[in-house]
Amino acid sequence: MGITLIKISAVYFAIGVAIGYYMSSAHDYALTPVHVHINLLGWTALTLAGILYHTFPILAKSLSGKIHFWLHNIGLPLMMLGLFFVVVFENEALLPLVATGATVTSLGIFSFVFNVLKNLKAS
Ligand code: HEM
């Protein structure tokens, strides 16, 4: 699970940096919220979680780890697609998708935090 998350995070890194590169080149900063969340929740957070799951297998084996994996990987793309649509088309029709994605992602991250606090122990 850890390695899978690190690979997924590398894809987010490429997308996040590509958006940043586009914004710098075009002097169009409208996509900053998408860029920031893809880089921070997609790249950095998932890489760190992946390293933790790989280093401490007990975290990856627990139910809360699996819940985090799925909620983070379902919620974040929904949130980013919705936010992209809202920003690019200046249309708030997909705000409920942003809210749903953000809620699912947040629940996943709360599950990750619960897992770390409950199961991570000094050996
Ligand atoms: C080649 C890589 C990158 C490029 C070209 C780039 C470009 C940009 C640009 C053009 C902005 C908008 C600045 C503005 O609104 O004035 C921005 C904002 C931001 N970027 Fe990046 N970025 C890159 C990588 C990253 C990475 C790796 C992260 C985090 C892991 C990151 C985090 C942020 C944050 C937090 C902001 C918001 C800053 C603010 O509004 O105060 N960026 N970036």
Side-chain angles (χ1 to χ4, degrees), residues 13 16-25 27-33 35-41 43-44:
F13 196 19
V17 164
I19 293 174
Y21 188 79
Y22 162 77
M23 293 195 302
S24 301
S25 311
H27 300 284
D28 175 0
Y29 306 109
L31 283 171
T32 297
H35 165 76
V36 165
H37 288 92
I38 284 182
N39 275 332
L40 294 173
L41 283 175
W43 161 236
T44 55

Side-chain angles (χ1 to χ4, degrees), residues 3 7 11 18 20 30 42 46 62 67 85 87 110 116-117 120:
I3 299 298
K7 291 195 175 192
V11 175
L46 280 188
S62 76
I67 289 173
F85 181 90
V87 167
F110 295 150
V116 168
L117 295 180
L120 193 58

Side-chain angles (χ1 to χ4, degrees), residues 34-106:
V34 181
H35 165 76
V36 165
H37 288 92
I38 284 182
N39 275 332
L40 294 173
L41 283 175
W43 161 236
T44 55
L46 280 188
T47 299
L48 287 172
I51 292 170
L52 286 175
Y53 287 131
H54 188 68
T55 310
F56 304 104
I58 192 167
L59 296 179
K61 281 186 200 129
S62 76
L63 177 64
S64 44
K66 292 179 175 65
I67 289 173
H68 167 236
F69 179 91
W70 285 109
L71 294 189
H72 202 136
N73 281 309
I74 291 168
L76 187 58
L78 294 180
M79 181 179 155
M80 291 301 97
L81 282 174
L83 199 53
F84 182 88
F85 181 90
V86 168
V87 167
V88 169
F89 298 102
E90 294 181 5
N91 181 329
E92 297 191 349
L94 284 192
L95 270 184
L97 185 65
V98 180
T100 304
T103 304
V104 171
T105 306
S106 300

